[in-house]
Amino acid sequence: MRIVLLGPPGSGKGTQAALLVAQLGVPHISTGALLRNAAKRGTELGLQAKSITDKGELVPDDIMSDMIEERLSRDDLDNGFILDGYPRNLAQAKSLDIMLERLDKPADVAIHIDIDPEQIIKRIARREKEEGRADDTEKTVRNRMRVYAEQTAPVADYYAERGLLTRVLGNGPKEEISQRILSVLTIDRQST
Ligand code: ADP
């Protein structure tokens, strides 16, 4: 199962990806986590990226495509993967398609977690207290939501046009949302 997980900031992509990993046993590839790790290690790229992520802007496509290409080239993806945080704009979506085609691992399904903006602000305010992520301040979150609407929302349409997109309601207990996603995956599997 090669899954692309989409959804606005705070929609619970990371949480759902972790639950899916437990169920499906495939690697979780999170570009947000890769960037935060690079920043924590203090690499030049990591520090450069941090000044951008802290403002809620997107890290340039060439940096991201190198990062994701390196990760996708490892040999642990034979049973699939859960991609979380990439692609985030149409250029990234197109370059991902080319990369996955070349690796003979095209995406099977894109799942968009739907959530309303008020919920997002509430959830992220709580996460800021619990995890202290530098990009979880209210100002940055609003910018991330704007960037999402302008640049990332069209990515969902891109997958919809290819018949790969399913939308899942992202409210309620996380286990329930996970069940919704798993039932989508089961249906998808039966139809292929
Ligand atoms: P969220 O989805 O909650 O906004 P992520 O952890 O996925 O959080 O991403 C955090 C930040 O990392 C983003 O706001 C962005 O600045 C940067 N980032 C992550 N993935 C990408 C990407 N594919 N392209 C550009 N920037 C990215």
Side-chain angles (χ1 to χ4, degrees):
M1 263 281 136
R2 295 181 291 269
I3 305 165
V4 175
L5 210 48
L6 301 167
S11 58
K13 291 189 301 291
T15 305
Q16 290 306 321
L19 292 171
L20 285 173
V21 165
Q23 291 285 332
L24 305 174
V26 297
H28 172 201
I29 303 177
S30 158
T31 47
L34 290 172
L35 288 168
R36 284 188 289 279
N37 282 341
K40 214 192 282 172
R41 288 199 312 273
T43 64
E44 192 184 333
L45 183 147
L47 297 176
Q48 214 182 329
K50 184 168 164 38
S51 66
I52 301 169
T53 59
D54 282 359
K55 285 188 279 201
E57 302 291 335
L58 294 187
V59 175
D61 290 344
D62 53 344
I63 296 182
M64 294 314 300
S65 92
D66 286 352
M67 182 176 269
I68 202 75
E69 183 152 30
E70 193 212 75
R71 179 63 188 89
L72 290 173
S73 309
R74 282 199 232 154
D75 60 4
D76 59 348
L77 305 181
D78 283 350
N79 294 325
F81 51 78
I82 299 162
L83 201 49
D84 156 16
Y86 194 93
R88 250 179 160 88
N89 60 30
L90 284 176
Q92 293 184 3
K94 287 174 191 161
S95 91
L96 177 67
D97 265 356
I98 294 168
M99 257 181 247
L100 293 178
E101 203 63 53
R102 203 174 337 121
L103 294 165
D104 202 21
K105 291 185 168 59
D108 295 313
V109 59
I111 294 177
H112 186 281
I113 305 180
D114 289 335
I115 185 96
D116 69 65
E118 273 166 44
Q119 284 256 6
I120 294 176
I121 300 281
K122 269 193 221 150
R123 283 188 183 184
I124 296 192
R126 194 174 57 214
R127 186 168 73 185
E128 186 192 5
K129 284 206 194 92
E130 288 168 0
E131 298 177 19
R133 249 174 72 170
D135 62 346
D136 276 348
T137 62
E138 184 166 344
K139 183 162 167 254
T140 301
V141 171
R142 290 199 185 275
N143 198 32
R144 282 158 63 199
M145 286 165 69
R146 183 185 59 77
V147 168
Y148 182 84
E150 289 175 5
Q151 302 195 48
T152 313
V155 172
D157 301 331
Y158 176 89
Y159 285 107
E161 280 159 22
R162 280 160 185 68
L164 294 179
L165 186 78
T166 304
R167 291 181 180 274
V168 166
L169 212 55
N171 60 352
K174 60 182 185 225
E175 292 78 11
E176 226 168 80
I177 302 163
S178 181
Q179 278 310 315
R180 288 178 204 146
I181 296 176
L182 284 168
S183 65
V184 168
L185 297 178
T186 318
I187 294 164
D188 200 73
R189 233 180 232 174
Q190 282 165 355
S191 66
T192 52

